[in-house]
Every structure is written in structure tokens, then in C-alpha cells.
């Protein structure tokens, strides 16, 4: 396929490289100077998309996505797929999809989980919103860039799935960290705490697969001085998107709001920026009940 790829940052660059390595013709555009193996770089977004059967965007936020979409939608071939893999607000995803649809394009929102490691290894999970026709066209590309794709329904539903998942993740990580800090103060050994909880009803991905306590459970960023991993500021971005969406549809999400408030404090007022999101545990360790 001819693929246009816009936004070749930490995630986009390895995704584009994997598509090129699989034999696709990938033309890339980014506002900063980047070199990606196998990808021909051009100097405008419109040039990157003119001949593309599928255009992939991997951009920082919804405003940038809207601005890029306004440039590329008129330049794309009728019937081409516009596949946005960025994590953005549901409203922006749906607005861009409506514009693309009106222009005779096939829009998909397909945010990912799996991080930079998953992007490099081609093991991302895609959560996809859009039509069956668009999904079927993009499926071979999901197979190259990822290990799993789930078609979640109409446009915007990929983003909805992503922020609901990550709201659970933020809440369970905080719950796991505060429980470890409580266990410490109660004199419970961390290994014993892990052995019990990981096989009891308090288990979760945060405890079992990404344990925030160093030296306990499987290897995780806690074993590497809380180097990310999944940075606290990216967790905060997704939690804010979850609360923006909750506000828009009048959903009551008190724990999602609490998690957002805690990560805001951690990232903006404390030393959380640049640390893995599981560094909530050393934060709780040093605190007392207020
Ligand atoms: P990044 O900042 O490394 O990459 C974004 C790229 O977009 C940059 O290279 C930037 O120069 C480019 N860009 C910005 N404005 C542009 C424009 N107008 N035209 C063309 N290019 C433009 O970010 P990232 O870590 O690659 O993340 C990309 C998206 O993936 C984000 O929405 C993020 O939330 C999501 N995501 C990231 C991770 C992760 O672990 N990094 C995991 C899952 C999802």
C-alpha cells in the first residue's frame, strides 16, 4: 500500500519503520527534522498524503489533530482511509471523522496501548472506531504494527475505550500504591503483601504485571528507579481526557476525578514529571495522613 504517515515522534517513527520494513511504501511528514529507516520524508503534510491509500496520524493532541486534518483531508484521494492513532478527546475524534466522511474518505480512530516498546516491537493493541469497510482495509496494517486490534464500533469509540481503560489503570495504580504504603506502616512485608494480593480479590494489572514495589513481582519500572515505562504526565493526559469526556456526557466518575487530581498534584507540584506513573508508591511512602 501507499501510506502517508504524519507525526513521526516516539511512537510514530517505529510504527512507520515497521510498515516500511514489511514492504509498504511509506511517505512521512513531521514538523521537526526526523529520519526514519525506510520512510521517504517530504516537506508538507499535503505531499505526504496525495497518493496514499491509507494516511496514519500519530500526533500529540486533539487540537493538533484537527489542524492537521484540515490540511490533509482536501489533499487525500477519495476512498482513502484516514487512520488516527493518537490519543485525543472523543469530540475531536468524532469531528475529524465527520469531516473526513463528508469528503468521501474512510475515517478510523485507533488509539494504542503498549507504549514505545510495543511500537518498536510491533506489539501494540489498537482500539478502533469507524466503519467495517475502513477497519477491514486497515487490518493488515494493524497486524504489522500490533498484536491485537479490537473494533469497538462507530467513530470515537476507539478513543472512548482507551480513556475508560486508562481511567481504570490510573485508579488501580493509586489504590495499589496506597495499599502498599499502608501495609508498610502496618509492618507487613511487601513480598507477603504481593503474594496475597496478586492471588486474591485485590489483584489487578497494576499489582500483578506492573508491581509498583521494587524487587517484588515481575520486572517493572519500579526495578529501574521508576524510569518510564509509562510516564506520570502521559497518565495525567489520559485521565484528563477521561474527565473531559465524563463532563461532556454528564457521567459521574468520582474515582476518575480523584485520580486526575492526584496525578495533577504529583506532576505539577511535586517531583512526578518524567517518572513512571507507578512512582506514586514512593510518594505515598513519604506522606502522612492529613
Ligand atoms: P511525540 O511528541 O514523541 O510525537 C508527536 C510527533 O508529532 C512529534 O514528532 C511532533 O513533531 C509531531 N507533530 C506535532 N505537530 C505536528 C504537525 N502539525 N504536523 C506534523 N507533525 C507534527 O509523542 P508520542 O509519544 O509519539 O505520542 C503520540 C501519541 O500517541 C500521543 O497522542 C500519545 O498520547 C499517544 N500515546 C503515546 C504513548 C507513549 O508511551 N509515548 C503510548 C500510547 C499512546
Amino acid at each position: 500500500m501507499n501510506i502517508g504517515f504524519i507525526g513521526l515522534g516516539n511512537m510514530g517513527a517505529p510504527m512507520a519503520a515497521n510498515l516500511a520494513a514489511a514492504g509498504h511504501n511509506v511517505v512521512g511528514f513531521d514538523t521537526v527534522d526526523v529520519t526514519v529507516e525506510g520512510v521517504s520524508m517530504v516537506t508538507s503534510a499535503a505531499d505526504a498524503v496525495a497518493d496514499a491509500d491509507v494516511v496514519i496520524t500519530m500526533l500529540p493532541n486533539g487540537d493538533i489533530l484537527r489542524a492537521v486534518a484540515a490540511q490533509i483531508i482536501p489533499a487525500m484521494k477519495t476512498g482513502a482511509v484516514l487512520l488516527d492513532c493518537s490519543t485525543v478527546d472523543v469530540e475531536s475524534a468524532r469531528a475529524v471523522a465527520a469531516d473526513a466522511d463528508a469528503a468521501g474518505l474512510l475515517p478510523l480512530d485507533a488509539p494504542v496501548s503498549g507504549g514505545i516498546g510495543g511500537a518498536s516491537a510491533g506489539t501494540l493493541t489498537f482500539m478502533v472506531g469507524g466503519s467495517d469497510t475502513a477497519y477491514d482495509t486497515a487490518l493488515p496494517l494493524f497486524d504489522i504494527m500490533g498484536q491485537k486490534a479490537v473494533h469497538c464500533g462507530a467513530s470515537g469509540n476507539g478513543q472512548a475505550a482507551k480513556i475508560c481503560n486508562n481511567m481504570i489503570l490510573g485508579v488501580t495504580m493509586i489504590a495499589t500504591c496506597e495499599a502498599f504504603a499502608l501495609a508498610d506502616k502496618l509492618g507487613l512485608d511487601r513480598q507477603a503483601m504481593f503474594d496475597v494480593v496478586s492471588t486474591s480479590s485485590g489483584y489487578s494489572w497494576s499489582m500483578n504485571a506492573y508491581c509498583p514495589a521494587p524487587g517484588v513481582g515481575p520486572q517493572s519500572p519500579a526495578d529501574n528507579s521508576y524510569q518510564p515505562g509509562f510516564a506520570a504526565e502521559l497518565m495525567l493526559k489520559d485521565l484528563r481526557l477521561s474527565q473531559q469526556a465524563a463532563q461532556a456526557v454528564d457521567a459521574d466518575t468520582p474515582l476518575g476525578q480523584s485520580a486526575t487530581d492526584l496525578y495533577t498534584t504529583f506532576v505539577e507540584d511535586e517531583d512526578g514529571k518524567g517518572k513512571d506513573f507507578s512512582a506514586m508508591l514512593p510518594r505515598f511512602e513519604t506522606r502522612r495522613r492529613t
Side-chain angles (χ1 to χ4, degrees):
M1 279 189 211
N2 285 334
I3 298 172
F5 207 116
I6 299 180
L8 296 136
N10 289 321
M11 296 291 290
M15 291 164 70
N18 284 336
L19 293 171
H24 291 290
N25 177 32
V26 186
V27 178
F29 172 71
D30 198 293
T31 43
V32 302
D33 205 9
V34 283
T35 310
V36 181
E37 200 176 334
V39 176
S40 341
M41 297 301 292
V42 292
T43 53
S44 80
D47 285 346
V49 306
D51 294 324
D53 306 303
V54 176
V55 171
I56 303 177
T57 47
M58 195 52 169
L59 297 162
N61 60 49
D63 288 342
I64 294 177
L65 172 67
R66 285 179 193 245
V68 168
Q71 290 168 35
I72 61 177
I73 287 174
M76 285 174 64
K77 290 194 300 195
T78 306
V81 171
L82 176 54
L83 170 58
D84 177 45
C85 295
S86 329
T87 303
V88 302
D89 57 288
V90 176
E91 265 176 276
S92 292
R94 291 194 170 140
V96 166
D99 289 349
D101 201 38
L105 304 174
L106 296 172
L108 287 174
D109 54 291
V112 302
S113 76
I116 299 166
S120 297
T123 57
L124 294 169
T125 295
F126 290 86
M127 295 147 253
V128 192
S131 68
D132 289 341
T133 314
Y135 182 79
D136 292 344
T137 308
L139 199 49
L141 306 184
F142 295 141
D143 286 342
I144 294 164
M145 297 184 285
Q147 61 183 357
K148 186 171 177 154
V150 180
H151 192 186
C152 301
S155 289
N157 285 16
Q159 299 295 348
K162 166 91 185 174
I163 57 175
C164 289
N165 180 74
N166 281 20
M167 187 174 82
I168 295 171
L169 177 62
V171 169
T172 58
M173 180 54 81
I174 290 169
T176 304
C177 292
E178 68 181 35
F180 262 119
L182 170 62
D184 289 346
K185 291 197 174 179
L186 295 172
L188 177 60
D189 176 66
R190 284 185 171 179
Q191 185 65 50
M193 166 81 175
F194 176 83
D195 290 345
V196 171
V197 175
S198 65
T199 54
S200 301
S201 45
Y203 83 91
S204 68
W205 185 86
S206 296
M207 175 60 88
N208 291 38
Y210 205 93
C211 182
V216 176
Q219 276 286 318
S220 70
D223 300 307
N224 188 26
S225 311
Y226 296 97
Q227 297 300 307
F230 184 42
E233 57 269 29
L234 290 179
M235 180 80 254
L236 177 58
K237 172 189 172 179
D238 293 355
L239 284 167
R240 282 181 169 153
L241 290 175
S242 76
Q243 295 316 291
Q244 189 181 336
Q247 179 91 37
V249 297
D250 195 21
D252 188 22
T253 54
L255 291 182
Q257 185 59 55
S258 255
T260 308
D261 294 343
L262 262 173
Y263 275 104
T264 300
T265 303
F266 188 47
V267 167
E268 293 185 353
D269 304 334
E270 300 172 353
D271 60 350
K273 193 161 194 285
K275 290 189 176 158
D276 189 75
F277 82 122
S278 61
M280 272 288 165
L281 175 52
R283 175 190 186 274
F284 280 118
E285 267 169 32
T286 60
R287 292 177 62 83
R288 306 181 54 191
R289 201 168 184 79
T290 49

